[in-house]
Amino acid sequence: MIAVIFGSSGGIGRALAEDVIASGRYISVFAISRSGAEVCGAVNRQAEFTDDVQLATLAAEIGAAGPVRLCLVASGLLAGDGVQPEKTYRSLSLEAFNRVFAANTIAPALIAKHMLPLMPKAERSVFAALSARVGSVSDNRLGGWHAYRASKAALNMLIRNFAIEQARRAPGNICVGLHPGTVDTGLSKAFQGGVPEEKLFTPAQAAGYLLDVADGLTPEDSGKCFDWAGKEIPA
């Protein structure tokens, strides 16, 4: 059995990779990042997540190693390098939208394009991408964060689409979005001010919670989004 973690150079992604390796349940664990940062015990590879050619080459290597039973996409963009969550529509910019959607929506979609065919048709497998509660349309009470919210809402729709298609092609496959909560990483550093101490998780805590949720999923859960505690987040 093969596990693949995309975004393994980030705080959550590295913790997920380390936990999956420590579980001993997989013959090989591929740790994929844009930087090529090494995770001890993994097959480390570098790739640009929006590059179809690189993802196809990677998929060929992974597919030759065996069926993929777990694929986790832990990459994303909230802020940094000139991008900040918008407080008003007056702050919207094409550049920010392009960058946020490329990281949060397009990259997971292209990864799914190349990874889902490697997952077995009948046996249980899980494809999960990190989403966010703020991507819920019905749960939006505060507004703002326009590009980030929209990118995660679009990701949730894609996950639902993939689940419908996989139910026909590979009924053993489960496609979900996972919300890790607020994790103490560089991604959230500037937005931790109002978070209670007990709700600010370390990457290791978040990874453990998310893997527990993934382990408990059934085919009936496919197409949905769940938080770190296993509670479904409304669309």
Side-chain angles (χ1 to χ4, degrees):
M1 295 195 299
I2 307 298
V4 188
I5 291 83
F6 285 84
S8 57
S9 63
I12 300 175
R14 177 175 288 274
L16 285 168
E18 290 172 346
D19 267 19
V20 170
I21 292 166
S23 74
R25 293 163 56 182
Y26 299 91
I27 296 171
S28 294
V29 178
F30 284 79
I32 320 298
S33 66
R34 294 185 178 91
S35 67
E38 292 198 1
V39 177
C40 184
V43 179
N44 297 285
R45 293 292 182 266
Q46 182 177 10
E48 170 53 54
F49 301 163
T50 56
D51 188 314
D52 246 333
V53 175
Q54 291 186 32
L55 290 174
T57 300
L58 186 63
E61 179 185 1
I62 294 171
V68 174
R69 292 296 184 89
L70 177 67
C71 181
L72 304 173
V73 183
S75 58
L77 174 64
L78 171 60
D81 295 329
V83 173
Q84 289 293 326
E86 310 92 344
K87 295 181 180 179
T88 169
Y89 59 78
R90 298 178 182 86
S91 301
L92 298 179
S93 77
L94 178 60
E95 179 183 2
F97 262 94
N98 284 339
R99 292 177 60 189
V100 171
F101 266 77
N104 296 342
T105 310
I106 298 171
L110 291 179
I111 290 169
K113 170 186 174 181
H114 292 281
M115 291 296 110
L116 290 179
L118 306 182
M119 309 190 98
K121 294 184 181 299
E123 293 87 358
R124 183 183 182 277
S125 62
V126 174
F127 175 92
L130 293 195
S131 189
R133 187 177 299 278
V134 297
S136 168
V137 176
S138 61
D139 193 50
N140 184 358
R141 300 289 184 270
L142 298 175
W145 290 33
H146 300 293
Y148 186 74
R149 283 186 187 273
S151 70
K152 292 299 187 178
L155 172 62
N156 293 346
M157 177 61 79
L158 287 169
I159 287 169
R160 177 61 178 162
N161 282 351
F162 299 153
I164 291 170
E165 188 169 351
Q166 287 293 85
R168 298 190 293 261
R169 191 198 73 85
N173 182 232
I174 302 166
C175 296
V176 297
L178 294 178
H179 168 55
T182 303
V183 184
D184 189 12
T185 66
L187 186 76
S188 67
K189 188 66 69 177
F191 311 101
Q192 297 176 6
V195 180
E197 184 177 350
E198 68 275 9
K199 290 294 181 69
L200 180 61
F201 305 137
T202 66
Q205 281 179 300
Y209 294 147
L210 295 178
L211 290 172
D212 284 347
V213 173
D215 281 345
L217 295 171
T218 69
E220 289 71 30
D221 297 319
S222 195
K224 300 175 182 179
C225 186
F226 297 91
D227 71 8
W228 58 273
K231 296 180 181 178
E232 183 179 350
I233 295 173

